Amino acid sequence: MRRILLLPIILYSFYSQSLTAAETSAQDFRKDTFRMLNANRSLLVKYEAAYERTKAEYAKNPSDRLKRELDKTGYKVKVLTEESAKLLQQLPEETQANELVKYVLAAENARKKMAVNIMLDEQNPAAGNRGLGTQQYYQWHEQALERVSQNRYEEAIKIYEDILLIRPDDDQAFMIMGHLCVMTGQFKRAERAFYNAAQIDPQNMREITPFYENQILKNPNDDAAYARLGYIHLMFKNTQSAQDAFQDALSISPDNPLALSGLEELLGDLSQQNL
């Protein structure tokens, strides 16, 4: 009898170890992918800086040599961009961190701006010594991105706060910090970050809501995504859309605390308006 009872225990133990090993393997794969992704982005920014520099030189003094160099560097940028997309496809779609990374890596304007800044620092080394040097600035962004990949959101937020102390005009840092605050339930803080990003570049305001709508398109049963979208609508005073999003979240998970508190906050605001 004892042996019969031990068998399922042993099988369960073996299954648990296998599951743990599989989870560990998946985590290692994810870390390796992010490591390769970070290396890819570092090279990409450097080549984009070289491309911008060569393009500027070619505009001043056109020559066959510069044209060949421009084509060669442009091809490297294209290959690295495609490699980046392939690496992203290897990451789990349902991972919130991956969604944020996709957003960060898709920010073409920020990346090109960074490349131009590196080019300017190379042309004027003294400029890199004022405040936060561009290379260090980029490394801080990479460190924050790594924290995001490890679900260490508060640490990532702290890094972006440090970046913004030195570069308060970095709208992408405000945007990323806003998304991180939403993911950690700090909605008032997120609202301030998004507001600051929009003050720097009004286009940022139009990119916030679609980010959360895309999460729902990829996983229509994600009640947390609906709840976060509800809070985004609440930030923008879109009360009906906020109510719809919260109710959609509750239709999937009636006990979703985020949706319940959001709906309560919304109804409280509406009752105050009716007084």
Side-chain angles (χ1 to χ4, degrees):
M1 180 69 176
R2 186 181 176 189
R3 290 181 63 185
I4 295 174
L5 289 173
L6 279 174
L7 182 59
I9 295 173
I10 293 171
L11 289 173
Y12 176 77
S13 176
F14 177 79
Y15 172 76
S16 298
Q17 290 175 1
S18 299
L19 185 61
T20 302
E23 289 175 346
T24 302
S25 177
Q27 290 175 356
D28 289 342
F29 174 78
R30 187 166 168 236
K31 287 180 181 178
D32 288 342
T33 303
F34 270 107
R35 194 175 297 115
M36 289 187 291
L37 192 56
N38 287 339
N40 170 280
R41 302 307 292 186
S42 296
L43 285 173
L44 185 53
V45 167
K46 289 178 182 178
Y47 278 117
E48 283 186 333
Y51 182 84
E52 294 293 339
R53 182 175 58 247
T54 305
K55 186 169 71 172
E57 292 176 2
Y58 182 77
K60 292 179 181 178
N61 300 300
S63 69
D64 291 340
R65 180 186 65 80
L66 287 175
K67 181 64 169 63
R68 288 193 299 271
E69 186 177 342
L70 196 62
D71 291 341
K72 182 179 178 180
T73 309
Y75 176 75
K76 289 180 179 178
V77 169
K78 179 177 178 292
V79 170
L80 286 168
T81 302
E82 291 173 352
E83 182 184 345
S84 175
K86 290 178 182 177
L87 287 169
L88 278 173
Q89 290 175 359
Q90 296 177 20
L91 297 173
E93 287 293 332
E94 69 278 5
T95 306
Q96 290 182 5
N98 179 41
E99 294 300 323
L100 187 59
V101 170
K102 283 184 179 180
Y103 168 79
V104 176
L105 300 184
E108 294 294 333
N109 290 337
R111 196 179 66 194
K112 290 185 181 297
K113 186 192 303 181
M114 198 176 299
V116 172
N117 285 339
I118 292 175
M119 177 192 71
L120 293 175
D121 280 354
E122 289 175 351
Q123 293 176 349
N124 182 15
N129 296 325
R130 294 196 299 267
L132 182 62
T134 304
Q135 293 289 357
Q136 184 184 354
Y137 164 79
Y138 180 69
Q139 289 172 3
W140 281 18
H141 268 286
E142 289 294 331
Q143 290 171 12
L145 187 61
E146 183 179 0
R147 300 299 191 280
V148 172
S149 73
Q150 299 166 350
N151 295 335
R152 294 157 62 183
Y153 301 134
E154 287 294 343
E155 293 179 29
I157 290 172
K158 179 63 173 63
I159 293 174
Y160 283 117
E161 286 178 335
D162 291 340
I163 290 174
L164 289 165
L165 285 174
I166 306 298
R167 295 199 174 180
D169 61 340
D170 187 346
D171 58 322
Q172 288 303 311
F174 275 119
M175 286 288 284
I176 298 165
M177 189 168 74
H179 287 302
L180 287 170
C181 288
V182 169
M183 292 166 69
T184 53
Q186 304 175 67
F187 299 109
K188 293 298 182 184
R189 197 174 176 188
E191 185 175 0
R192 289 195 298 271
F194 288 142
Y195 174 80
N196 287 329
Q199 288 296 304
I200 298 168
D201 183 356
Q203 175 64 30
N204 287 321
M205 190 63 72
R206 292 189 284 271
E207 297 177 359
I208 298 169
T209 303
F211 174 72
Y212 296 94
E213 291 174 337
N214 287 336
Q215 289 186 17
I216 292 171
L217 286 175
K218 291 182 178 181
N219 186 1
N221 295 318
D222 188 349
D223 56 304
Y226 278 108
R228 287 192 291 269
L229 177 61
Y231 270 100
I232 294 298
H233 284 309
L234 205 56
M235 289 179 195
F236 298 149
K237 312 302 181 186
N238 300 326
T239 54
Q240 186 58 56
S241 296
Q243 183 174 343
D244 291 343
F246 289 137
Q247 288 176 341
D248 286 338
L250 293 173
S251 69
I252 299 170
S253 176
D255 297 326
N256 184 297
L258 209 57
L260 288 171
S261 61
L263 202 55
E264 183 179 353
E265 182 178 340
L266 173 62
L267 295 175
D269 290 344
L270 291 175
S271 63
Q272 287 292 327
Q273 292 175 12
N274 293 329
L275 290 179

